[in-house]
Amino acid sequence: MEITYLGHAGWFIKTNDVKILCDPWNSKNPAFYNTWYVYPFNDNLDWKNYLDVDVLYVSHLHKDHFDEETLKLLSKDITIVIPEFRQNRLIDKFKELGFSNFKMGKMSIGDTKINTYVSETVDRMMEDSMILISDGDKTFLNMNDAELLEDNQKEIQSVYPSIDMLTLQFSGANWYPHCYENYNNDEIKTISKSFREKSIDNFRRVSQILKARKVITSAGPPAFLSDDLLYA
């Protein structure tokens, strides 16, 4: 299995059987009203090569994962593995872009097995998901923004007692500064420190639970298009 990091939550995975693309986002396409972008920039990658794949996976509909401009460049015949969300707006969005070949939940190609797991939590605006790829020798679990729920953990560990490579978020977007304007500087520092520590603790906890042999940080942080914050 060959695994290439494309920036943010983007991954290109090649096995003897299949080439898989996860959450591709080109830094030429800022998200959320042009306020977020991939950093470091990745528009100089060989995107023609990385978009020449057999299978596509997009974890959820947030714009830093569902980059429509990049997805439009893919062949419309590509197979898209779709997490089994209760309300599958993801399929609707793909159909709007002209895609029609969907596999629900999981699929196998030769010795390569692809499984998706839905991570639905009360405090999120939408369902999230993760993908696990096994080529019969190595395992790669890409969690991106998703949380490891107990059911997911049990299902994964019932088949894979340990994970060879794990990727998950080590930091993320908090609401500083626009939601903290009523706090003084000391309070802002305390809140921000707590947020960072919580993210890092979760990173360590999940890595230990899944007995990951190698852990790669991904899916964050976003860089804001603000000269004052860019190098902070």
Side-chain angles (χ1 to χ4, degrees), residues 90-106:
L90 192 59
I91 289 181
D92 295 336
K93 291 296 292 184
F94 274 123
K95 287 182 177 178
E96 290 177 10
L97 297 180
F99 297 97
S100 59
N101 187 12
F102 305 112
K103 294 288 186 181
M104 296 303 300
K106 59 185 178 180

Side-chain angles (χ1 to χ4, degrees), residues 6-7 9-13 20-25 55-59 65 131 133 140 142:
L6 304 181
W11 295 92
F12 174 84
I13 303 98
I20 306 164
L21 180 64
C22 302
D23 287 16
W25 183 23
V55 175
L56 171 68
Y57 163 79
V58 174
S59 57
H65 297 261
I131 185 171
I133 301 165
F140 171 62
N142 175 19

Side-chain angles (χ1 to χ4, degrees), residues 157-203:
Q157 291 183 318
S158 68
V159 182
Y160 305 105
S162 63
I163 297 296
D164 292 301
M165 180 177 282
L166 170 68
T167 72
L168 70 158
Q169 189 181 75
F170 66 102
S171 66
N174 64 26
W175 301 107
Y176 176 82
H178 59 278
C179 289
Y180 291 171
E181 60 185 12
N182 294 322
Y183 295 98
N184 61 44
N185 287 336
D186 288 340
E187 289 171 325
I188 290 174
K189 289 180 180 179
T190 298
I191 294 170
S192 298
K193 182 175 184 290
S194 174
F195 181 89
R196 291 194 301 271
E197 290 177 346
K198 180 181 177 181
S199 298
I200 293 172
D201 287 346
N202 182 69
F203 181 91

Side-chain angles (χ1 to χ4, degrees), residues 16 19 23 55 106 125 134 173 226 229:
N16 291 332
K19 292 183 289 185
D23 287 16
V55 175
K106 59 185 178 180
M125 292 185 295
S134 170
S226 165
L229 293 175

Side-chain angles (χ1 to χ4, degrees), residues 101-135:
N101 187 12
F102 305 112
K103 294 288 186 181
M104 296 303 300
K106 59 185 178 180
M107 60 182 297
S108 297
I109 302 176
D111 293 326
T112 301
K113 293 181 173 57
I114 302 171
N115 290 276
T116 62
Y117 306 90
V118 173
S119 177
E120 180 185 27
T121 57
V122 174
D123 59 344
R124 288 187 63 87
M125 292 185 295
M126 64 177 67
E127 295 169 302
D128 205 338
S129 68
M130 62 190 79
I131 185 171
L132 195 155
I133 301 165
S134 170
D135 65 355

